[in-house]
């Protein structure tokens, strides 16, 4: 069980949180202008890397706030916690999505 | 009282002033406080304690601790019975009743032992090879296999004991109170760090009290006592005895099972928590879990009376028990020498056979002084005896240890002590994600690269010598505390420990048989699961190269002991057979729990009515008093139906349904999810969440809405009231309220933080009674003066604030039944008053409370869906025939997906009605629909989602999802059931008042 540092409440048990999947996937502003493959890419495709992964978490059983976490998917080490909309740390570390 | 025949006259950690009486297989025995079942039985000369799993071979005690594969006992029977308890760990207490397992009719005579005679017919993978064909027979085979196999008996009733869970947060967690664990705790504790020391044994010291070891020229126990009293004086140090670390998870989270009362007589247990599961989060962890001695793999090494050398030594020193009268010690390393000396000192005649030849003079002279005969370069080639060892054969090995050089000599003995080296207890290290390394010289897996904030010290780190174990422990404790910011200068110097020069181990994974051609079929590797060296070699020949596959095929390491004594031997033999490196073969995965745990401890207090929260409405007590049957909807208890004097469910539901359309029905709708959505952008937000538009909804009006997930599938529905320019009250499905609120929050926080909107659950703030039927308006008129109820003043799909029965109320003209309905909501504290007022005034109209079943029937008559019943996450609004609610002029979540190829294809399952040819036939929900009945498998074209008997229509009705169903109205289909094939016809999914006029009435 992970120990996650909620930016609002401090370190809490993973069981208080819910993971919302990969972060920094922006909803297209004009979905109707996208081709089917482009829309499917937004809807279904995720990067699933081995190593650093930026993902969204919500402190469900706590303050209820969403935030971003950078977590190594192999070691589960959490290398960064940052607010929604904030710039990702260590820009070179994570293999971000190309979009 | 005369003492047991094998009890030494003095010594040991037992309390001779406290005799204890217990029973084993119905026979009474006495021992002392401090004894285990195993030590007390050995003191009485009881050797045979169990039968093996597959061959039912007689088995005795092999170890003195947690790794015991053989001596498993059943403790008690019935609800508090516990199977597979390790006799080597169970402390005896007055009244304890233990029984051997896996034997019938008795331990001495076991009918299943015939399996042993047939063992040549039960090779590795026997069950896979024999019982897998033909497939349908497996059920029959399984019955006999389960009867023949199986160790203990599972408890038969609810567990009567109480269990607890507790959190612990500490700077340093030390696992294991052996020499390195004590040294680590002491070094960390003296800095002021908060240290938790957990240890599986009743008393600290690890293996030390079982040895004759000296520390600082005094018995090791004195050093242990000094450490313990030091630790007791440290305020931030806590020691948990009888506490086994079960699992090591991410970020230094460990679970620890503390057995608090299992060692006490039953009368002292009452009112106390039996076991406590500790959930420990530690900043730093020191693993000091020690090592387990490894058996040697030789012919008939499973006879009762063959045990590990360290175990024999422990029985002498810790329990003052002679485990025999005449012993042959068989070893490939130096650690069996001290046990041999201690056995000789305890009065046993001892012969020591060592597969090595170049032994040190120090060792040779130690043996000589005790008169122990040394057979250097020798091995045991066979063990004789049936229910107890009677002797062994020994012979000199050739230089490559592949065969014997000389003749075979028989030696009479009743005890064989073996040592094949040591396996560091790396279970927790490995669970935490640490990488293992293989130490070629010692033939052992040792910790390699560790996860952060973790240390290994002593035996579990591959460090056998006491002096090094102590210094490693001290350094680990110091470093762990320092990493938490605790430092202190000085410290006690390391104690003085004698060091004897050691001769390196000579690895010999299988000891050749007396006759070389003979199979290795009685050379046991896994005692508990009866896996022999021959089984492993056979599996290797059959192509099993991965150790994970070998494990499952031969079942090695799959017993309750999880192969603590057998795994390394098994994979070494596999590697040898394959001609591969042990390091490359690798180990199987170490998984929690380290020892079997009771379900009770894992459940803790979360049992019975505390297992899940129960939510009730303010009117709940009324429903209970009316004798309502209840249905669970999420965590809610909702009235299902209200049976009157002996009515069946069908009769009650029919009556309720007729009343709701014929006079007036009343439903407790308080469980509906309610979300208060406020803010200047509230309408814009709802426009994005719902498929339909909200900006033009007037204050005072209501609108039904449908929401989708981004893939275009229906997620929830409900009616929303516009309370003000910037305020809406959203209703959700009862079971979906929390999910919808979380959904809204997610979009607001992560995608649209620019929207100025706030959402809040107000489900529990309101109580709602929904009255429905031709007399609903008249009834309400009697109870309100300030709400204008006329059709024109208060049209369908609008709401008004006012008073009902003198209570502040909001009345909404919405309808889930299709009748003229009013939903009256009051602050939840007034809920029961509202309900009783409506019931009282409603009497003359024949008011009838109806439950969720009638509600479902009534809405199905009108073809209203229930999200989650008629939809399942694969259904779009179009599939439901609800295009009318899908806006074309604005974007919303899921809109783009409705244009995807998959969501527009004609063959999608679509909502239809289904009428059976026989109006009395009620289809089961989930029933599969086909066009034509063929031999299975048939082509399924859909399934029934809702199905009821409708009293108002006098026939059965059903809703279904059918491929391309909207173009098939009027067509016949079949629903094949187990009992019959039911013919039916596809219809419009509306059975009653298809124009929906009555709701406006
Ligand atoms: Zn929080």
């Amino acid at each position: 069980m992970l120990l996650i540092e909620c930016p609002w409440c401090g370190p809490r048990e993973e069981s208080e949180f819910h993971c919302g999947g990969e972060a920094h996937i922006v909803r297209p502003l004009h979905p109707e202008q996208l081709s089917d493959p482009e829309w499917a890419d937004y809807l279904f495709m995720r990067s699933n890397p081995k190593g650093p992964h930026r993902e969204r978490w919500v402190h469900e059983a706590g303050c209820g706030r969403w935030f971003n976490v950078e977590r190594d998917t192999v070691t589960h080490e959490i290398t960064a916690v940052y607010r929604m909309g904030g710039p990702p740390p260590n820009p070179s570390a994570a293999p971000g999505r190309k979009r | 009282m005369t003492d047991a025949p094998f009890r030494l006259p003095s010594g040991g950690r037992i309390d001779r002033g406290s005799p204890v009486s217990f029973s084993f297989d119905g026979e009474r025995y006495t021992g002392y406080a401090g004894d285990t079942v195993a030590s007390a039985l050995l003191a009485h000369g009881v050797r045979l304690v169990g039968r093996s799993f597959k061959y039912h071979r007689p088995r005795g005690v092999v170890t003195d601790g947690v790794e015991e594969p053989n001596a498993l006992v059943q403790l008690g029977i019935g609800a508090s019975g516990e199977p597979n308890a390790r006799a080597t760990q169970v402390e005896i207490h007055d009244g304890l009743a233990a029984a051997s397992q896996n034997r019938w009719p008795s331990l001495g005579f076991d009918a299943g032992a015939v399996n042993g005679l047939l063992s040549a017919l039960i090779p590795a993978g026997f069950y896979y090879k024999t019982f897998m064909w033909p497939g349908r027979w497996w059920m029959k085979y399984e019955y006999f296999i389960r009867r023949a196999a199986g160790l203990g008996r599972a408890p038969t009733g609810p567990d009567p004991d109480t269990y607890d869970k507790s959190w612990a947060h500490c700077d340093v967690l030390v696992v294991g109170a052996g020499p390195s664990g004590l040294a680590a705790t002491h070094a960390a504790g003296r800095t002021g760090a908060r240290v938790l020391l957990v240890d599986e044994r009743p008393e600290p010291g690890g293996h030390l009290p079982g040895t004759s070891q000296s520390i600082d020229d005094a018995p090791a126990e004195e050093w242990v006592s000094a450490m313990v009293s030091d630790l007791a004086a440290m305020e931030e140090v806590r020691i948990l005895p009888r506490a086994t670390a079960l699992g090591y998870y991410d970020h230094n989270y460990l679970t620890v099972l503390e057995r608090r009362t299992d060692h006490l007589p039953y009368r002292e247990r009452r009112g106390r928590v039996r076991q406590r599961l500790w959930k420990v989060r530690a900043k730093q962890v020191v693993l000091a879990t020690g090592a387990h001695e490894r058996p040697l793999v030789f012919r008939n090494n499973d006879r009762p009376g063959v045990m590990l050398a360290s175990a024999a030594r422990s029985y002498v020193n810790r329990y003052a028990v002679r485990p025999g009268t005449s012993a042959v010690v068989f070893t490939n390393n130096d650690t069996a020498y001290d046990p041999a000396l201690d056995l000789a000192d305890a009065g046993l005649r001892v012969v020591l056979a060592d597969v090595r030849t170049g032994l040190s003079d120090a060792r040779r002279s130690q043996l000589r002084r005790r008169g122990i005969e040394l057979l250097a370069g020798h091995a045991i080639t066979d063990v004789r005896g049936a229910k107890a060892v009677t002797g062994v054969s020994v012979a000199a090995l050739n230089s490559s240890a592949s065969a014997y050089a000389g003749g075979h000599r028989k030696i009479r003995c009743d005890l064989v002590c073996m040592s094949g080296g040591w396996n560091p207890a790396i279970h927790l290290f490995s669970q935490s994600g640490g990488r293992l390394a293989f130490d070629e010289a010692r033939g052992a897996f040792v910790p390699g690269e560790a996860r952060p904030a973790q240390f290994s010290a002593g035996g579990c780190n591959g460090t056998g010598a006491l002096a090094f174990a102590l210094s490693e422990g001290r350094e680990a404790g110091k470093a762990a505390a320092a990493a938490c910011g605790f430092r202190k200068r000085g410290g006690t110097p390391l104690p003085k420990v004698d060091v004897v020069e050691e001769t390196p181990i000579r690895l010999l994974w299988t000891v050749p048989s007396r006759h070389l051609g003979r199979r290795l079929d009685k050379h046991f590797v896994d005692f508990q699961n009866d896996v022999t060296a021959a089984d492993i070699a056979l599996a290797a020949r059959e192509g099993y190269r991965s150790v994970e596959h070998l494990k499952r095929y031969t079942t090695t390491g799959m017993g309750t002991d999880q192969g603590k004594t057998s795994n390394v031997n098994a994979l070494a033999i596999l590697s040898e057979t394959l001609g591969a490196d042990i390091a490359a073969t690798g180990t199987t995965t170490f998984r929690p729990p380290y020892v079997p745990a009771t379900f009770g401890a894992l459940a803790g207090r979360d049992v019975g009515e505390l297992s899940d929260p129960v939510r009730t409405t303010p009117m709940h007590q009324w429903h209970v008093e009316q004798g309502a049957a209840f249905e669970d909807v999420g965590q809610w208890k909702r009235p299902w139906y209200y049976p009157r004097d002996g009515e069946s469910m069908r009769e009650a539901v029919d009556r309720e349904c007729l009343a709701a359309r014929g006079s007036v029905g009343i439903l407790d709708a308080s469980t509906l999810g309610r979300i208060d959505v406020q803010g200047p952008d509230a309408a814009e937000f709802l426009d994005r969440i719902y498929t339909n538009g909200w900006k033009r909804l007037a204050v005072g009006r209501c609108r039904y809405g449908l929401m989708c997930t981004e893939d275009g599938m229906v997620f929830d529905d409900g009616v929303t009231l516009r309370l003000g320019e910037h305020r809406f009250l959203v209703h959700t499905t009862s079971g979906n309220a929390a999910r919808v609120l979380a959904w809204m929050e997610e979009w607001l926080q992560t995608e649209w933080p620019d929207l100025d909107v706030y959402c809040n659950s107000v489900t529990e703030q309101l109580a709602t009674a929904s009255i429905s039927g031709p007399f609903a308006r008249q009834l309400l008129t009697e109870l309100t003066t300030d709400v204008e109820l006329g059709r024109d003043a208060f049209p369908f799909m609008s709401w008004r604030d006012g008073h009902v029965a003198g209570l502040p109320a909001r009345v909404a003209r919405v309808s889930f039944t299709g009748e003229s309905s009013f939903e009256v909501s009051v602050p939840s504290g007034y809920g029961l008053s509202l309900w009783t007022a409506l019931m009282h005034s409603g009497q003359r109209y024949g008011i009838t409370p109806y439950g969720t079943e009638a509600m479902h029937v009534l809405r199905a008559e009108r073809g209203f869906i229930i999200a989650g019943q008629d939809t399942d996450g694969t259904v779009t609004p179009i599939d439901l025939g609800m295009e009318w609610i899908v806006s074309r002029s604005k974007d919303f979540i899921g809109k783009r997906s409705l244009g995807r190829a998959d969501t527009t294809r004609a063959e999608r399952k679509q909502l239809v009605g289904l009428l059976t040819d026989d109006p009395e036939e009620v289809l089961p929900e989930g029933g599969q629909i086909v066009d034509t009945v063929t031999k299975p498998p048939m082509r399924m074209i859909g399934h029934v989602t809702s199905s009821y008997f409708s009293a108002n229509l006098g026939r059965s009705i059903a809703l279904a999802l059918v491929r391309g169903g909207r173009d098939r109205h009027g067509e016949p289909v079949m629903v094949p059931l187990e009992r019959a094939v039911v013919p039916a016809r596809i219809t419009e999914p509306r059975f009653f008042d298809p124009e929906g006029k009555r709701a406006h009435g």
Side-chain angles (χ1 to χ4, degrees), chain B residues 597-850:
Chain B
T598 52
F599 282 116
L602 300 181
R605 304 266 174 164
D606 304 334
V607 292
E609 58 180 10
L610 297 182
S611 62
D612 198 35
V614 172
R615 300 174 79 184
T616 56
T617 72
M619 294 80 128
H620 184 74
Q621 195 49 38
W622 190 92
H623 307 315
V624 172
E625 283 161 13
Q626 295 299 308
F630 287 89
E631 180 184 29
D632 290 334
V633 179
Q635 290 165 334
W636 289 104
K637 292 276 175 213
R638 296 197 70 179
W640 193 12
Y641 57 96
Y642 299 81
R644 267 189 207 158
D645 17 83
E647 272 179 335
S648 67
M649 175 175 173
R650 162 84 179 265
E651 288 161 350
V653 172
D654 284 356
R655 175 177 50 73
E656 292 170 16
C657 285
L658 291 171
R661 296 211 192 282
S663 52
V664 58
I666 180 168
L667 174 82
D668 181 354
S670 307
T671 61
L672 275 178
R674 300 179 192 84
I675 302 169
D676 190 352
V677 179
Q678 297 190 41
D681 297 318
E684 169 64 24
F685 175 60
L686 294 187
D687 259 8
R688 299 183 189 185
I689 290 283
Y690 281 102
T691 61
N692 48 339
W694 298 90
K695 286 185 180 144
R696 286 197 299 200
L697 181 68
V699 176
R701 300 291 304 209
C702 319
R703 179 169 290 169
Y704 173 78
L706 199 61
M707 58 179 84
C708 292
T709 41
E710 191 72 295
D711 57 3
M713 303 304 157
V714 172
F715 167 52
D716 201 69
D717 68 342
V719 169
T720 291
L721 283 55
R722 188 161 200 168
L723 300 183
E725 183 57 28
H726 296 156
R727 187 171 183 191
F728 293 82
L729 182 64
V730 168
H731 287 86
T732 75
T733 316
S734 292
N736 225 6
R739 227 168 310 163
V740 173
L741 178 60
W743 176 249
M744 291 179 166
E745 277 293 338
E746 180 178 347
W747 284 97
L748 277 175
Q749 288 186 37
T750 67
E751 203 66 42
W752 304 319
D754 52 311
L755 292 186
D756 195 358
V757 178
Y758 298 87
C759 303
N760 198 7
S761 166
V762 290
T763 302
E764 308 233 319
Q765 275 62 39
L766 296 169
T768 300
S770 175
I771 53 174
S772 181
F775 298 128
R777 176 178 285 107
Q778 229 169 311
L779 164 59
L780 207 52
T781 310
E782 289 184 21
L783 289 169
T784 183
T785 52
D786 53 1
V787 180
E788 184 80 58
L789 294 170
R791 276 182 193 83
D792 300 327
F794 191 0
F796 184 54
M797 293 308 267
S798 55
W799 62 268
R800 299 288 181 266
D801 274 349
H803 290 78
V804 173
L807 309 168
R810 175 172 300 139
V811 184
R813 272 207 70 190
V814 294
S815 175
F816 195 39
T817 60
E819 291 303 310
S820 175
S821 300
F822 296 85
E823 280 191 9
V824 185
S825 298
V826 294
S828 51
Y830 294 130
L832 188 56
S833 304
L834 170 72
W835 185 270
T836 48
L838 287 165
M839 285 305 298
H840 184 259
S841 301
Q843 259 173 12
R844 73 164 109 148
Y845 304 104
I847 192 167
T848 302
Y850 65 96

Side-chain angles (χ1 to χ4, degrees), chain B residues 870-882:
Chain B
D870 301 298
T871 69
D872 59 4
T874 67
V875 180
T876 69
I878 318 301
D879 297 337
L880 295 173
M882 294 172 77

Side-chain angles (χ1 to χ4, degrees), chain B residues 147-346:
Chain B
R147 249 167 61 109
L151 290 164
R153 276 166 295 165
T156 52
D159 193 329
D161 293 315
T162 307
Y163 301 83
D164 247 351
K165 287 184 196 174
S166 190
W167 277 99
H169 295 86
C170 56
D171 294 310
V172 181
L173 170 71
V174 181
V175 183
S180 27
L182 285 173
T185 308
H186 197 275
R190 63 183 291 281
T191 66
R194 176 169 294 180
V195 186
L196 180 64
L197 170 60
V198 301
D199 186 58
E200 65 179 358
R201 293 185 189 267
E203 61 168 13
H207 73 285
L208 284 177
T211 67
S212 52
Q213 180 75 47
S214 308
I215 296 181
D216 278 339
D217 298 319
E221 286 139 277
E222 288 181 20
W223 177 82
V224 172
S225 308
M227 295 298 279
V228 169
S229 67
D230 273 10
L231 295 178
M234 297 177 186
E235 241 174 62
E236 292 293 337
V237 173
R238 179 170 189 180
I239 305 180
L240 288 181
R242 299 185 179 92
T244 309
L246 298 179
Y248 192 153
Y249 307 88
D250 298 309
H251 298 183
N252 274 353
Y253 172 70
L254 291 92
T255 51
V256 176
L257 180 65
E258 183 192 8
R259 297 171 302 279
R260 295 169 61 83
T261 64
D262 289 346
H263 60 291
L264 299 174
Y266 295 110
R267 60 178 182 277
E268 290 173 36
R269 298 187 189 184
R270 224 162 292 142
R272 300 179 65 174
V273 169
R274 182 186 170 204
Q275 296 177 345
R276 175 174 289 158
L277 187 74
W278 290 88
K279 307 199 263 184
V280 183
R281 186 70 80 169
K283 288 185 187 145
Q284 298 283 322
V285 171
V286 177
L287 296 174
T289 48
H292 299 140
E293 197 168 24
R294 200 152 61 201
L296 283 164
V297 180
F298 52 103
R299 186 170 166 80
N300 287 317
N301 59 345
D302 66 325
R303 302 270 193 226
V306 181
M307 67 170 70
L308 294 169
S310 60
R313 188 187 197 196
S314 168
Y315 287 113
V316 168
N317 292 307
R318 190 190 291 266
Y319 302 106
V321 169
R322 279 184 303 129
T325 53
S326 176
V328 175
V329 178
F330 181 23
T331 187
N332 65 357
N333 71 94
D334 265 27
T335 61
Y337 280 71
D338 285 332
L341 305 181
D342 288 358
L343 289 169
D345 289 345

Side-chain angles (χ1 to χ4, degrees), chain A residues 1-82:
Chain A
M1 182 156 62
L2 307 180
L3 188 67
I4 298 171
E5 182 97 20
C6 172
W8 312 90
C9 309
R12 299 295 172 102
E13 300 301 325
E14 181 186 340
S15 54
E16 294 184 14
F17 297 86
H18 170 75
C19 182
E22 187 173 356
H24 304 297
I25 294 173
V26 180
R27 188 173 195 267
L29 280 177
H30 301 287
E32 72 282 359
Q33 293 170 10
L34 299 188
S35 68
D36 274 5
E38 284 168 336
W39 179 250
D41 186 52
Y42 157 72
L43 201 53
F44 300 121
M45 304 310 283
R46 298 295 181 265
S47 59
N48 193 27
K50 180 178 180 181
H53 184 237
R54 289 168 189 146
E55 55 201 20
R56 308 175 312 147
W57 286 79
V58 58
H59 195 184
E60 204 172 33
C63 62
R65 303 299 293 175
W66 283 88
F67 54 94
N68 291 316
V69 167
E70 186 181 85
R71 177 182 64 98
D72 188 304
T73 57
V74 178
T75 64
H76 296 306
E77 197 189 343
I78 291 175
T79 41
V81 171
Y82 55 104

